[in-house]
């Protein structure tokens, strides 16, 4: 308890609060820009923190880090362009809500859900963090694979009317994820002499290609009216009601649980947690048919899911010295440069620093709430722009973003090619979300499958040798069966589904 | 006008109505049939040409989990099965389907022109650089989307790419692509 | 086989005598310098290069931006770095994995050491072989005996195929008279997840950079059975060397330095040579490096180039001998 009080005072220092404020503002600014991700935001701000003391620079970095989990949602909702990969699941319901004239409600819900999920996630991480760290270590390749099999059942939830089409899209996503250097054997696959392809495709150009470009093409069909009276605008619509926010409390808890588990595993990151949170929200929803067409619940599940990773991802770093993701890795590097090497020694010798880190995280989230509300006011400006100007500008915005993500034109070309694919898919009602999920999870899925098989010499019983493996595979089975039943109830048998679409 | 749209939004959210589909988003069983056939064709092409060329599989790891080809081939198999399922399903559904009116040609042309603008934009980046290409593409796209006021059109077309450019280069410190043209000019002069 | 380290020392000494330190008389640099790093942010190479860059700014008189261009085991970043305008404003953070081993084991990667200009090395990074602290394997000999009796049921995990860590373990097996197939090999993606796999007991052995393991070593979670340096490392005196345990051929040392594209103006190379020398003499920087388990080690442009060439040839030969070729 004393440690907690001491760490509270460390966190409450004026300089730390100022640092967090600056970090959040800068982080939101970067994260709403497609192509600039949390990792880049942290890397950009890093050199400026060298001059500050450890806790202040930590506050700046955490501010940037936290806001990166939310910022991408704004563009995902307003212009169907996820600002960061974390917002990949936000676009599924956020953008439909915006098209229905409920942009304000969607923006507010995403912000409140983000902050709620984020704070819950920090509490989970803080209270049981030695346990979470040990739990994360129990996940070897077979256990990871079993967990991923469970996560893959999410695909069925976002498949829309036809499961076959959903899984076809997922297969495409998996295949796209195999481009680049083979993680296990080390040779290149499908590179064909283009050296930039050795690193594989990046998720952000794929998301823009899947969601933004088809939207542009479809929206351009309606064009042809010039300015003035004929112009159309995005509608902000009514504000979120408190009842709507608080009514989702189960969603926040479920998403925070999902995010805390996934976040503590090295390398998984925010977007899988967002999809899992989205899936859980749908699974337990009374109105699952609204998902993908503008469900406030889906939006809340996705945003609470990705933000709750923020706390959990700090756990392996603080307790084991192993960064949970790219952004935490940069933060860890910064701390090392400040002479504070995160890990068991730091926790043993300076526990107050570790706890104050978590408190600073919570502080950053609260700051983000206020800055975010201000940002929604700024969004009021966007809606004054008639769509005939907004959408062409989005094309430029998205292209800059696709380029900036790795300073590579290959990413821009990939964006357009996936854009063509995405448009064709949309014309034929093949869902885009399964492709995105599969692309994100693909490398983890393949690596852990192959690692497990290497470990067992090729026999598949390795997946049921541990209780974790058995548990997650059972969960996957239950989830698959339940989803199949739910799907049948929702869309009827597959044959009628095809005609119903027509 | 705006009030009416907002009211419609409320109603939609309340009733769970789907967002209005545009005229070209009309999936048909025939379309599914085409997707099924295309999938099978792509699977065949991949198995015969793309995979052997794109994946190097040394004999010592062939047919093991260590092989770089292990996972892609599993996926290819899955794609084949799914393509076949879609094919069968769409053949059965085609008989039940009522003929739906096709979108008028004008609408398809508009969508095609948008796609062409995007393609030309990307191609021109390599020649004239991102900034100039963006200004040109934005001007054309604004016109295509229906903006006709000359001053607004030109000022937007110049301002948006330029401001974004300055933001990326100076604030975010991202180096933006330089045009090949500049290299050619340098080589000549 | 002569030890690598002795070669390095000899070449370094020669170069130090042969190269007079020239006075700088130029206006380079007039704008910030970008250092392209082929590895991910937050990894041990990234931290090393960023720490170096932070100190080098003072001596360069310009700010330095480190840019991570990752992918393809470092191939993406190096392919970019060798093709930039040779004006001295875009250089590369050099590391053994991307610049020397990758082209030796993967012919398809698209570059060789002759495609870039080494400017200076500033540190060497020892590789250690780790087991869990509660493991039965108390020593290197225990490991060798256990592998011999295990009939292929023990496993080794590291940062991936075609890395110095994989090569270190293969050299060790070879030196101990064991075959590569005697141990199950489980490749991971990076220092973090492979160390986590050892900590969680999912693999039995783990070869990694000493810096990656330093925290876990200090906390007593893992034990280092041997290190690849010719002498014991000052900050970790309890770790025996492979050489003193009878495996002198296991002498792989990673390194980090600054590398540029070909055709750099000589003033750029000279400026950076003196900057690197100045950072080497910076006691604060040196203390940070050694604290993390790395060794401060300097090589000037010519010595560095000769060193990379000889090393590249060695790895290319080893790759064939140990059936290590990836493509």
């Amino acid at each position: 308890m004393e440690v907690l009080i001491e760490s509270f005072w460390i966190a409450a220092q004026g300089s730390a609060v100022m640092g967090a404020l600056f970090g959040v503002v800068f982080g939101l600014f970067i994260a709403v820009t497609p192509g600039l991700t949390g990792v880049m935001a942290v890397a950009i701000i890093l050199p400026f923190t060298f001059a500050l003391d450890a806790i202040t620079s930590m506050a700046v970095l955490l501010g940037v880090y936290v806001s990166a989990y939310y910022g991408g949602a704004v563009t995902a909702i307003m212009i169907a362009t996820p600002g960061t990969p974390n917002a990949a699941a936000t676009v599924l319901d956020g953008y439909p809500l915006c098209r229905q004239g409920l942009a304000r409600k969607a923006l507010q819900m995403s912000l409140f859900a983000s902050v709620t999920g984020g704070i819950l996630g920090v509490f989970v991480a803080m209270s049981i963090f030695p346990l979470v760290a040990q739990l994360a270590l129990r996940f070897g390749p077979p256990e990871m694979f079993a967990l991923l099999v469970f996560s893959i059942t999410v695909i069925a939830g976002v498949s829309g009317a036809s499961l076959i089409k959903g899984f076809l899209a997922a297969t495409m996503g998996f295949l796209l994820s195999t481009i680049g250097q083979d993680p296990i054997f080390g040779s290149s696959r499908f590179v064909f002499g283009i050296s930039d392809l050795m690193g594989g495709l990046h998720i952000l150009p794929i998301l823009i290609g899947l969601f933004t470009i088809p939207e542009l093409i479809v929206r351009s069909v309606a064009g042809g009216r010039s300015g003035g009276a004929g112009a159309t605008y995005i509608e902000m619509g009514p504000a979120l009601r408190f009842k709507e926010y608080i009514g989702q409390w189960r969603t926040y808890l479920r998403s925070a649980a999902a995010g805390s588990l996934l976040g503590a595993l090295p390398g998984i990151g925010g977007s899988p947690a967002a999809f899992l949170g989205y899936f859980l929200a749908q699974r337990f929803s009374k109105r699952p048919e609204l998902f993908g067409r503008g469900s406030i619940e889906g939006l809340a599940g996705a945003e609470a899911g990705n933000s709750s990773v923020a706390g959990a991802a700090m756990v392996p770093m603080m307790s084991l010295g192993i960064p949970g993701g790219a952004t935490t890795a940069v933060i860890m590097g910064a701390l090392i440069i400040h002479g504070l090497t995160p890990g068991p020694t730091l926790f043993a010798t300076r526990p107050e620093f570790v706890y104050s880190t978590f408190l600073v995280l919570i502080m950053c989230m609260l700051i983000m709430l206020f800055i975010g509300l201000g940002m929604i006011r700024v969004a009021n400006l966007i809606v004054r722009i008639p769509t005939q100007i907004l959408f062409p500008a989005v094309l430029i915005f998205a292209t800059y973003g696709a380029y900036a993500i790795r300073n590579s034109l290959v990413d821009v070309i990939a964006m357009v090619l996936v854009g063509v694919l995405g448009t064709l898919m949309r014309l034929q009602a093949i869902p885009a979300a399964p492709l995105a999920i599969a692309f994100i999870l693909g490398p983890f899925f393949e690596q852990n499958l192959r690692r497990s098989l290497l470990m067992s010499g090729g026999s598949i019983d390795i997946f049921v040798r541990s209780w974790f493996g058995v548990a997650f595979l059972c969960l996957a089975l239950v989830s698959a069966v339940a989803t199949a039943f739910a799907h049948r109830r929702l869309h009827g048998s597959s044959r009628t589904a095809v005609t119903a679409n027509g | 006008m705006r009030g009416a749209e907002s009211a419609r939004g409320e109603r939609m959210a309340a009733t769970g109505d789907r967002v209005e589909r545009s005229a070209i988003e009309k999936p048909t069983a025939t379309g599914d049939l085409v997707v099924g056939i295309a999938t099978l064709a792509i699977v065949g092409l991949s198995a015969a040409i793309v995979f052997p060329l794109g994946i190097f599989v040394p004999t010592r790891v062939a047919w093991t989990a260590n092989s770089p080809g292990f996972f892609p081939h599993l996926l290819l198999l899955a794609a084949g099965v799914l393509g076949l399922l879609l094919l069968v399903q769409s053949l059965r559904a085609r008989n039940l389907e009522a003929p739906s009116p096709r979108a008028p040609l004008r609408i398809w042309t508009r969508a095609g022109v948008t796609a062409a603008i995007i393609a030309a934009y990307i191609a021109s980046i390599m020649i004239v650089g991102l900034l100039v290409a963006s200004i040109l593409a934005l001007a054309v796209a604004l016109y295509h989307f229906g903006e006709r006021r000359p001053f607004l059109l030109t000022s937007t077309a110049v301002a948006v790419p330029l401001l974004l450019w300055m933001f990326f280069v100076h604030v975010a410190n991202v180096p933006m692509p330089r045009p090949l043209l500049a290299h050619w000019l340098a080589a000549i002069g | 086989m002569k030890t690598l380290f002795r070669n390095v020392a000899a070449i370094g000494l020669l170069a130090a005598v042969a190269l007079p330190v020239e006075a700088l008389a130029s206006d380079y640099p007039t704008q910030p310098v970008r250092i392209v790093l082929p590895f991910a942010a937050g990894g041990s190479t990234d931290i090393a290069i960023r720490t170096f860059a932070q100190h080098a700014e003072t001596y360069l008189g310009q700010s330095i931006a480190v840019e991570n261009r990752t992918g393809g085991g470092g191939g993406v970043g190096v392919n970019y770095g060798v093709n930039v305008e040779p004006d001295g404003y875009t250089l590369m953070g050099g590391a053994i994995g991307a610049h020397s081993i990758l082209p030796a084991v993967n012919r398809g990667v698209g570059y060789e050491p002759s495609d870039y200009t080494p400017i200076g090395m500033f540190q060497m990074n020892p590789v250690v072989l780790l087991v869990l602290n509660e493991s039965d394997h108390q020593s290197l000999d225990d490991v060798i005996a256990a592998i011999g009796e295990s009939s292929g049921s023990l496993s080794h995990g590291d940062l991936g195929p075609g890395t110095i860590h994989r090569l270190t373990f293969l050299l060790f097996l070879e030196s101990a008279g064991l075959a590569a197939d005697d141990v199950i090999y489980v490749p991971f993606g990076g220092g973090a997840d492979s160390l986590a796999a050892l900590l969680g007991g999912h693999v039995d052995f783990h070869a990694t950079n000493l810096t990656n393991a330093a925290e876990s070593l200090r906390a007593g979670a893992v034990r280092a059975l041997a290190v690849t340096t010719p002498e014991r490392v000052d900050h970790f005196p309890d770790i025996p060397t492979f050489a003193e345990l009878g495996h002198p051929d296991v002498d792989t040392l990673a390194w980090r330095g600054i590398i540029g594209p070909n055709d750099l103006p000589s003033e750029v190379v000279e400026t950076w040579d003196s900057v690197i020398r100045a950072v080497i003499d910076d006691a604060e920087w040196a203390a940070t490096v050694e604290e993390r388990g790395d060794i401060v080690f300097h090589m000037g442009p010519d010595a560095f180039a000769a060193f990379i060439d000889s090393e590249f040839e060695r790895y290319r030969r080893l790759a064939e001998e140990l059936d290590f070729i990836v493509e």
Side-chain angles (χ1 to χ4, degrees):
Chain A
M1 199 60 213
E2 254 173 65
V3 172
L4 268 181
I5 294 168
E6 193 185 338
S7 43
F8 175 79
W9 286 114
I10 295 177
Q13 280 173 33
S15 62
V17 179
M18 286 308 294
L21 184 67
F22 174 74
V24 169
V25 172
F26 180 78
L28 283 176
F29 203 44
I30 292 291
V32 293
T33 313
L36 302 180
T37 59
V39 194
M40 289 167 77
V42 173
I44 292 167
I45 207 74
L46 187 62
F48 300 103
T49 66
F50 289 146
L52 308 169
D53 65 90
I55 191 72
T56 311
S57 61
M58 186 74 180
V60 175
L61 292 171
L62 290 180
V64 175
Y65 166 73
V66 163
S67 46
Y69 282 102
Y70 167 68
V74 177
T75 42
I77 291 168
M78 300 295 288
I79 55 175
T81 307
T84 66
N86 284 328
T90 309
V91 76
L92 300 182
D93 279 298
Y95 186 67
L97 281 169
C98 175
R99 283 209 61 185
Q100 291 162 28
L102 298 168
R104 187 189 311 274
K105 191 169 279 194
L107 287 169
Q108 286 172 340
M109 188 70 228
S110 65
L111 177 63
F112 285 120
S114 227
V115 171
T116 313
I119 291 178
L120 283 174
V122 177
F123 276 126
V124 173
M126 217 166 137
S127 44
I128 54 169
F129 108 89
L131 191 76
V132 171
Q134 286 309 312
L135 191 72
L137 279 187
R138 304 288 309 147
F139 277 76
E143 292 80 14
M144 285 284 269
F145 181 74
L147 172 66
L148 285 163
V149 171
F150 166 64
S151 308
I152 296 280
T153 56
V154 172
I155 288 171
V158 290
S159 280
S162 162
L163 283 179
I164 295 178
K165 287 182 182 176
F167 280 95
L168 192 61
T171 312
M172 281 192 267
F174 276 131
L175 271 172
L176 288 177
S177 81
T178 64
I179 295 174
Q181 197 188 37
D182 170 20
I184 302 294
F185 189 72
S187 60
S188 350
R189 293 187 296 202
F190 309 118
V191 168
F192 302 112
I194 304 165
S195 75
D196 274 9
L197 272 185
M198 278 174 68
L201 299 176
H202 194 281
I203 177 65
L204 210 78
I206 300 234
L207 291 177
I208 295 175
L210 278 177
F211 294 110
T212 315
I213 303 243
E215 186 62 25
L216 274 176
I217 291 181
V218 167
R219 291 299 281 270
S220 73
V221 167
R225 283 167 295 184
S226 174
T232 53
Y233 295 86
I234 295 178
E235 282 291 326
M236 281 305 270
L240 184 76
R241 284 190 295 268
F242 183 72
K243 241 175 74 186
E244 288 174 301
Y245 161 72
I246 209 71
Q248 301 296 323
W249 64 275
R250 289 185 200 86
T251 307
Y252 309 134
L253 287 177
R254 279 191 293 261
S255 288
S260 297
L261 174 65
L262 289 182
L265 301 173
I268 298 259
S271 36
F275 278 112
L276 192 57
Y278 180 87
F279 174 68
L280 290 174
Q282 185 184 32
R283 205 52 292 190
F284 291 96
S285 171
K286 289 196 188 72
R287 319 255 341 244
E289 73 279 3
L290 276 181
F291 280 66
R293 302 174 189 182
S295 164
I296 271 284
E297 287 173 274
L299 186 61
E303 276 299 312
N306 68 34
S307 294
S308 61
V309 166
M314 305 298 283
V315 168
M317 173 175 118
M318 285 300 181
S319 59
L320 304 168
I322 295 171
T327 320
T328 38
V330 180
I331 293 179
M332 180 164 154
L335 288 176
I336 290 174
I337 292 174
H338 273 290
L340 292 162
T341 305
T345 332
L346 184 68
F347 184 55
T349 55
R350 297 187 62 184
E352 79 284 357
F353 181 80
V354 176
Y355 283 114
S356 57
T357 303
F358 286 121
L359 292 178
V360 170
L361 266 181
I362 293 181
M363 181 171 78
C364 291
M365 283 166 186
L366 292 174
I367 292 176
M368 187 173 84
L369 181 64
F370 290 102
I371 307 283
L373 285 173
M375 223 162 78
I376 295 175
R377 290 184 173 276
V378 178
N380 273 323
L381 297 178
I382 297 183
V383 303
R384 304 246 165 96
I385 306 170
T387 51
Q388 73 211 31
I389 292 182
L390 183 63
F391 280 95
V394 165
L395 171 65
I396 308 298
F397 202 43
T399 309
Y400 274 60
Y403 177 78
I405 191 80
R406 288 191 301 196
N407 310 337
S408 165
L409 275 178
V410 169
D411 284 330
V412 178
I413 294 166
M415 173 192 89
V416 173
L417 293 180
V418 175
V420 172
L421 179 70
T423 308
L424 294 176
M425 283 166 64
R426 183 153 163 186
L427 298 186
Q428 200 48 38
I430 300 173
L435 198 161
I437 301 174
F439 183 83
I440 293 166
L441 292 179
F444 298 110
F445 193 82
E446 170 176 21
Q447 286 168 33
N448 287 298
L449 171 63
R450 284 169 66 194
R451 263 178 217 140
S452 306
L453 291 175
L454 283 175
M455 285 166 77
S456 72
S459 77
I460 54 169
D461 70 324
I462 187 161
F463 299 114
V464 292
R465 278 184 210 163
S466 81
W467 284 111
F468 278 115
V470 174
F472 278 109
L473 289 177
C474 288
L475 215 55
L477 195 69
V478 170
S479 166
V481 171
T483 310
F485 272 107
H487 192 271
R488 189 159 279 253
R489 205 172 56 235
L490 217 63
H491 301 283
S493 77
S494 50
R495 191 186 304 179
T496 50
V498 173
T499 43
N501 268 336
Chain B
M1 179 73 198
R2 295 181 64 174
E5 275 199 15
S6 153
R8 198 189 64 196
E10 280 278 71
R11 200 196 67 232
M12 276 188 164
T15 57
D17 254 342
R18 185 178 287 252
V19 177
E20 199 184 333
R21 279 173 180 278
S22 89
I24 54 173
E25 292 177 271
K26 287 259 165 42
T28 58
T30 315
D32 281 356
L33 184 67
V34 174
V35 173
I37 292 170
T39 305
L40 291 177
I42 291 169
V43 167
L45 196 72
S46 300
I49 299 169
V50 182
F51 275 44
L53 282 180
I55 310 178
F56 166 78
V57 182
T59 44
R60 73 194 142 104
V61 296
W63 308 110
T64 67
N66 199 8
S67 163
F70 173 71
F71 190 55
H73 279 97
L74 275 184
L75 293 173
L76 205 57
L77 193 69
V81 171
L82 289 168
L84 209 59
L85 282 175
L86 194 61
L87 189 82
V88 172
Q89 195 192 53
S90 60
L91 280 176
R92 284 162 60 185
R94 244 154 74 97
N95 305 327
L96 302 171
E97 190 172 58
S100 60
R102 295 196 58 79
L105 187 65
R106 187 185 61 84
I107 284 186
W108 284 102
T109 317
R110 285 199 61 83
V113 169
T114 314
I117 292 173
I118 297 173
Y121 172 33
I122 304 309
S124 64
I125 290 174
M126 290 170 229
I127 301 164
V128 297
L130 186 58
L131 185 59
V132 177
S134 299
I135 292 173
L136 294 176
L138 186 52
V140 177
L142 281 169
Y143 186 86
H144 177 61
F145 270 75
E147 183 54 62
R148 293 290 186 276
R149 289 162 289 186
F151 175 72
L152 200 65
L153 193 148
T154 32
S155 58
T156 311
V158 174
V160 170
L162 198 64
L163 289 175
L164 271 177
W165 173 281
M166 281 157 63
F167 175 74
F168 275 98
V169 172
H170 296 293
V171 180
N173 218 356
V174 175
M176 294 313 247
R178 287 196 290 187
L180 280 177
L181 202 63
H183 288 284
W184 295 340
L185 289 177
I188 296 165
Chain C
M1 192 191 295
K2 258 175 145 185
T3 68
L4 177 68
F5 210 76
R6 231 176 289 145
N7 279 336
V8 168
I11 298 169
L13 198 68
L14 264 176
V17 176
L19 272 181
V21 186
E22 283 177 50
L24 303 169
S26 69
D27 41 1
Y28 172 87
T30 55
Q31 62 188 66
V33 176
R34 202 153 58 99
I35 294 186
V36 175
L37 185 66
F39 296 110
S44 59
T45 307
D46 179 71
I47 294 171
I49 298 284
R50 280 181 195 277
T51 316
F52 171 82
Q54 191 203 344
H55 286 83
E57 280 183 345
T58 327
Y59 305 107
L60 187 67
Q62 276 290 349
S63 65
I64 300 172
V66 178
E67 179 190 327
N68 306 84
R69 284 184 88 100
T70 60
V76 172
V78 180
N79 267 310
Y80 175 80
V82 298
N83 287 318
V84 295
E85 193 109 347
D87 55 7
Y89 291 102
T90 308
L91 300 171
M92 280 177 277
I96 184 170
H99 283 93
S100 158
I101 292 194
L102 189 62
V105 302
N106 188 337
R107 304 277 160 90
V109 77
Y111 58 87
E112 281 195 1
S114 58
D115 295 320
Y116 57 77
T117 307
I119 297 174
M121 180 202 288
F122 50 80
Q123 58 176 242
M124 285 235 174
N125 324 99
V127 179
V128 284
L129 181 63
L130 302 173
V131 294
L132 273 183
N133 209 6
E134 64 258 31
S135 156
D136 297 335
H137 315 301
Q138 290 288 332
S139 68
L140 212 52
D141 286 335
D142 287 356
V143 169
I144 296 169
I147 293 174
E149 291 159 14
S150 70
S151 61
S153 65
L154 294 173
S155 58
H156 166 75
D158 63 28
L159 284 71
T163 59
I164 188 167
H165 316 96
R166 176 67 179 146
L167 184 66
T168 304
F169 197 70
L170 285 175
L171 279 172
F172 163 63
L173 289 178
E174 168 117 324
S175 172
L178 297 162
D181 295 347
D182 289 344
V183 181
I184 297 169
Y185 175 50
V186 191
F188 288 87
D193 59 347
S194 52
L195 180 61
L198 178 74
L199 288 172
H202 306 289
V203 295
D204 298 295
F205 317 116
H206 173 43
T208 190
N209 286 351
L210 179 51
T211 45
N212 288 336
E215 260 308 292
S216 305
L217 280 169
R218 291 200 183 99
V222 298
R223 183 168 45 223
L225 298 180
V227 62
T228 55
T229 45
E231 319 261 290
R232 292 194 179 202
V233 180
D234 285 347
H235 276 73
F236 296 88
D238 297 337
I239 310 174
T241 67
F242 276 102
E244 69 183 80
L245 294 172
H247 305 281
D249 287 350
V250 190
D251 59 356
T252 44
L253 281 170
W255 46 261
R256 288 169 192 135
I258 297 295
I259 288 175
N262 280 343
D263 308 318
L264 277 177
S266 61
E267 56 170 327
V268 170
V269 177
E270 283 155 20
T271 305
W272 273 93
D273 187 31
S274 64
V275 166
I276 292 169
R277 284 168 198 276
V279 175
I280 297 265
D281 291 336
D282 188 323
E284 190 194 309
W285 175 79
T288 322
V289 168
E290 286 178 355
E291 177 69 23
R292 303 199 57 230
D294 290 329
I295 301 169
V296 176
F297 195 95
H298 177 249
M299 268 189 219
D302 294 344
F304 194 17
F307 168 68
I308 290 183
D309 281 342
S310 70
E311 196 187 38
F312 175 67
E313 285 309 318
R314 179 185 182 218
Y315 288 137
R316 181 170 259 188
R317 187 165 41 76
L318 279 176
E320 271 166 29
E321 281 171 22
L322 300 173
D323 196 14
F324 187 62
I325 299 268
V326 157
E327 194 169 326

